[in-house]
Amino acid sequence: MIRMAEKFEPEVVRTSQPQVRERTDDELVAAARTGDEAAFTQLFKRHNSLVSRLGYRFFSRREQVEEIIQEAFVKAYLALDSYQGGHEKSFVSWLARITVHACYDELRRIKKRSESRLGDLSQEEEEFLTERLRDLSAGSNVEGATISRDLAGKLLARLKPEDRVVLTLLKQEELSIAEIAELTGWTSAKVKMRSHRAQQGLRRVLRKFV
Amino acid sequence: MWNKRNTHIDDEKLDRLSDELFRALEASESEIDNAAESPFLFRRIRARIESEQRRLAEETNPWLALMTQFRQAIPVFALLAVVALASSLYLHTNETNKSAPENPALIAGLPLFLQDDQDALDASLVGWQSNNRSGQPKE
């Protein structure tokens, strides 16, 4: 869990100059619980890029990511009483868990809304996919990368939300099965099974278009 | 032929393609920072927290929920009161008109504008009766 928290935590440049000791996350949470607005503001400033980074793993549009940031911090604030600290990275793990759940909920909402209007790929996109498959060793140029980002969004939108969550955490965050289980609250067996099915599902989606 | 080609695409290649798709989705640091430091984002969060707290408080306190519903119903009650007042005034005015001294020329509760017609009717009835009497067969 600590390792997972370190993955999410952006690198902080530490200077050797003596500084006024900053309050820890746990201290800030304790203060925020008593209604200290400044403490919650500080928590937000400290960890908003972590939430943004996770949001961008699942969504490509800025408005969607901002929505996730809002959702995650609102949920975190309302659940402050249930937070159990104790470790330096506890808050990061706790917030990451809330963010992943917010992303999962949003993916499910989107899936429900757009189930019937998942458009087919354009001729260009299909050609691009075929080309990439033919020569995977070729370095991607700028144009290819642009198309690919849009295309990736379209293709991954065809996966089940839980498959998407597992694959994203496996491939992008490079988390282990146990870490994903911890983050999602699912059992390790479920995550393992889901990752296998997700992989199969993505292959099926790609095979359909290539 | 299409199916044949499909089966030839091995899983390893597809996995490599899917890895590439995931890599393509990665956002840049500037994108991440821009979303995180979006203006008014924290203010929007505060507003949502406040509305959520209000909603939760209403859910847990039945009296507060009742008061909120009552507050929402005030315009409806006001409209009903105005309608009730207007109809009672209208009825009261009608009652006053009815209780006014009767016009002696008014015949058997008929409105005034029908009186001429009533005269004509009387006259025709008298004429018909006399005609009838004179036209009766003699026994």
Side-chain angles (χ1 to χ4, degrees), chain A residues 29-190:
Chain A
V29 169
R33 272 181 191 153
T34 60
D36 185 346
E37 296 284 321
F40 185 66
T41 311
Q42 207 173 333
L43 278 172
F44 170 77
K45 282 181 181 167
R46 197 178 278 181
H47 299 295
N48 58 2
S49 53
L50 150 81
V51 179
S52 176
R53 187 181 305 276
L54 263 175
Y56 265 115
R57 295 292 192 215
F58 297 94
F59 306 102
S60 54
R61 292 211 324 267
R62 182 175 160 170
E63 313 90 71
Q64 289 176 306
V65 176
E66 283 183 19
E67 184 62 32
I68 291 297
I69 299 173
Q70 283 187 55
E71 191 72 25
F73 276 99
V74 170
K75 279 183 178 170
Y77 185 87
L78 296 173
L80 277 178
D81 286 337
S82 68
Y83 170 72
Q84 292 169 334
H87 191 273
E88 196 191 342
K89 301 288 182 187
S90 300
F91 187 77
V92 173
S93 304
W94 185 72
L95 188 60
R97 209 176 305 141
I98 289 175
T99 309
V100 167
H101 277 280
C103 291
Y104 176 53
D105 289 345
E106 185 61 19
L107 284 173
R108 287 204 310 188
R109 261 197 296 272
I110 291 173
K111 189 79 177 169
K112 261 187 205 162
R113 256 199 325 257
S114 60
E115 191 84 66
S116 55
R117 48 189 173 86
L118 283 174
D120 283 339
L121 302 189
S122 67
Q123 186 72 30
E124 277 178 11
E125 287 168 332
E126 282 189 31
E127 280 170 14
F128 172 80
L129 270 181
T130 316
E131 192 64 36
R132 295 306 285 163
L133 198 66
R134 203 176 290 155
D135 188 14
L136 277 168
S137 57
S140 55
N141 54 25
V142 177
E143 194 193 358
T146 315
I147 296 172
S148 188
R149 187 172 187 183
D150 187 38
L151 189 57
K154 276 188 186 177
L155 290 169
L156 294 175
R158 288 160 193 274
L159 293 176
K160 286 181 182 171
E162 48 266 49
D163 290 356
R164 174 75 192 271
V165 168
V166 170
L167 275 185
T168 301
L169 296 174
L170 264 179
K171 286 180 182 285
Q172 287 192 290
E173 291 297 335
E174 297 174 349
L175 298 182
S176 67
I177 297 287
E179 286 169 331
I180 295 173
E182 177 97 41
L183 207 54
T184 54
W186 301 333
T187 61
S188 294
K190 183 183 173 178

Side-chain angles (χ1 to χ4, degrees), chain A residues 6-14 49 53, chain B residues 29:
Chain A
E6 277 163 2
K7 275 181 186 170
F8 293 128
E9 193 76 289
E11 272 182 39
V12 180
V13 180
R14 302 200 184 278
S49 53
R53 187 181 305 276
Chain B
E29 284 301 314

